[in-house]
Amino acid sequence: MGEKKYDEHLQRVLNRRYYYGYSMAGKTIYAYTKEEWGIGASSGGGDYNLIRSFYFSIFTTVLAAAASLIGLVCGVWVLFSPFPAMALVFLFFAALFGFAVMQGLFNISEEWRGRKARKLRGLPKPWWEAGDDHAYEWFLEHPDPRIHMTRDYFPYSVKLGSS
């Protein structure tokens, strides 16, 4: 019986229609689809998070690419030195920074698609994540015809009670 309830909740979370967030001003709660969310707002306690910005992602990706190339060049160079075992260390860090480049490229492309989708609806970038309870209260006071006040739209809401 408990497993069925867990499966229903998991399906609601995975298939949620909207994510809720504040703009930089932090007054209004906006509803974003998964595509519009992009890399979105901070995922922790709602703090301002520069790491989730488009330009910071570009900067760190370029930095990681440079570090990866330097590690690769140094690894090949040290391979022909008197202590070739050090080449493994350089190549390990080159691969590690290479994975950081891949993650950065993923973040950049996701945020680029999110920016285009938000622009179509005139939505600001979500800087802070709004919890389902706060969003539920907001949309009770400010109704939106797209947002239904059900568990499917607010899967983590405690105020809606258990279903």
Side-chain angles (χ1 to χ4, degrees):
M1 185 75 173
E3 180 137 346
K4 182 181 178 196
K5 194 173 194 177
Y6 174 76
D7 288 340
E8 288 174 6
H9 177 71
L10 181 63
Q11 286 304 313
R12 268 200 233 65
V13 170
L14 292 176
N15 297 324
R16 71 181 300 154
R17 290 170 178 84
Y18 292 102
Y19 296 85
Y20 306 103
Y22 296 97
S23 65
M24 191 176 270
K27 303 285 184 210
T28 304
I29 294 179
Y30 297 94
Y32 300 89
T33 63
K34 185 176 178 94
E35 293 79 28
E36 293 166 344
W37 190 255
I39 56 176
S42 60
S43 53
D47 296 332
Y48 172 77
N49 197 345
L50 182 64
I51 293 171
R52 307 296 276 175
S53 79
F54 180 69
Y55 297 111
F56 190 76
S57 292
I58 291 174
F59 173 72
T60 55
T61 302
V62 168
L63 208 60
S68 180
L69 288 175
I70 289 170
L72 185 62
V73 168
C74 288
V76 171
W77 180 56
V78 170
L79 191 62
F80 299 107
S81 73
F83 190 58
M86 191 63 183
L88 292 174
V89 174
F90 280 115
L91 294 176
F92 169 76
F93 282 105
L96 187 67
F97 284 114
F99 286 124
V101 170
M102 290 173 42
Q103 179 65 48
L105 292 175
F106 171 77
N107 285 350
I108 290 167
S109 67
E110 188 174 346
E111 180 58 21
W112 186 258
R113 285 190 306 270
R115 281 177 161 213
K116 289 195 304 186
R118 286 191 301 267
K119 188 175 183 179
L120 291 175
R121 282 198 24 220
L123 292 170
K125 178 179 177 27
W127 282 99
W128 290 278
E129 184 178 2
D132 283 352
D133 284 330
H134 288 94
Y136 178 74
E137 289 175 357
W138 171 266
F139 287 108
L140 277 177
E141 295 174 14
H142 307 87
D144 185 330
R146 298 173 300 125
I147 309 296
H148 301 278
M149 306 312 276
T150 65
R151 286 295 264 180
D152 290 335
Y153 285 77
F154 303 94
Y156 287 117
S157 177
V158 175
K159 296 184 180 192
L160 274 170
S162 59
S163 58

